[in-house]
Amino acid sequence: MSQETYELKAEARERVGKGSARELRRNGLIPAVIYGDKQAPIAIALNTNEVTKRIHAGGFMTTVATIEVDGKKYKVLPKDYQLDPVRDFTMHVDFLRVSGNTQVSVEIPVHFINEAKSPGLKVGGVLNIVRHEVEVHCPADAIPEFFDIDLSGKKIGDSIHISEVTLPKGVTPVIDRDFTIATIVAPAAGVESAVEAEGDAEA
């Protein structure tokens, strides 16, 4: 599971539109919507500080939360949020209703491990990251926090594909081909000296 789940209190919004949204923001609230699960959308207002704190804590888009609206609780997953391009504060959030059998698409960050065990990196090769995140389908109540990418034994010229990553049960990549996550490339000084050094290191 990604992060610890958390709870937010919200109030229902009767008025929607730009004017009421501006008024909410002046009062320290963020307009938001809960939608999905074949039910009518609910317009709500959330405390700006609470939501901003959650966004900056990391894992916001991959953590299931509970939102209480007028005494009723909804399990939700943030699907999108808008930031003011100038002042960098949260303008709006969309939440998707989820239940135990809800399947969601989320982007999971990748972490690279065992860099010291990569012959290619030892001799000055460079880790070229093609994807910092991998988009997957998974159950809403079992979202991975990150994927470990093992660099052990990787040499200059090697690529790491999604097929090499052990995915948890029920988690499948959105893209159905064996795409590249990262490659080990030669340093700017040139391939030959790096490959020679790699050979010396093995010898």
Side-chain angles (χ1 to χ4, degrees), residues 8 49 52 71 89 146 162 166:
L8 295 170
N49 290 340
T52 303
F89 68 83
F146 54 83
I162 187 64
T166 304

Side-chain angles (χ1 to χ4, degrees), residues 32-43 72-79 93-99 101-104 140:
V33 174
I34 299 173
Y35 69 97
D37 209 20
K38 297 176 183 170
Q39 297 178 48
I42 305 169
K72 189 173 180 184
K73 294 189 177 185
Y74 301 88
K75 274 184 81 174
V76 299
L77 182 70
K79 286 306 288 179
V93 187
D94 290 337
F95 293 99
L96 176 71
R97 284 188 193 91
V98 298
S99 55
N101 56 5
T102 304
Q103 289 283 319
V104 295

Side-chain angles (χ1 to χ4, degrees), residues 5-10 34 46 63-69 72-77 95:
T5 186
Y6 58 90
E7 191 166 310
L8 295 170
K9 287 200 184 303
I34 299 173
L46 293 160
T63 305
V64 172
T66 301
I67 294 182
E68 184 179 327
V69 186
K72 189 173 180 184
K73 294 189 177 185
Y74 301 88
K75 274 184 81 174
V76 299
L77 182 70
F95 293 99

Side-chain angles (χ1 to χ4, degrees), residues 109-183:
V110 295
H111 290 181
F112 294 92
I113 60 171
N114 292 326
E115 292 189 19
K117 295 180 181 177
S118 160
L121 294 180
K122 269 187 181 175
V123 298
V126 178
L127 178 64
N128 175 40
I129 301 171
V130 179
R131 293 175 185 271
H132 290 271
E133 296 176 323
V134 173
E135 189 175 8
V136 297
H137 296 301
C138 63
D141 58 356
I143 299 172
E145 188 173 354
F146 54 83
F147 297 135
D148 276 335
I149 311 295
D150 192 351
L151 299 175
S152 298
K154 296 297 178 188
K155 300 175 182 176
I156 287 173
D158 285 351
S159 298
I160 300 105
H161 296 92
I162 187 64
S163 57
E164 297 175 56
V165 182
T166 304
L167 300 176
K169 187 181 176 185
V171 177
T172 56
V174 169
I175 300 170
D176 63 359
R177 60 184 165 76
D178 193 15
F179 55 85
T180 302
I181 295 172
T183 56

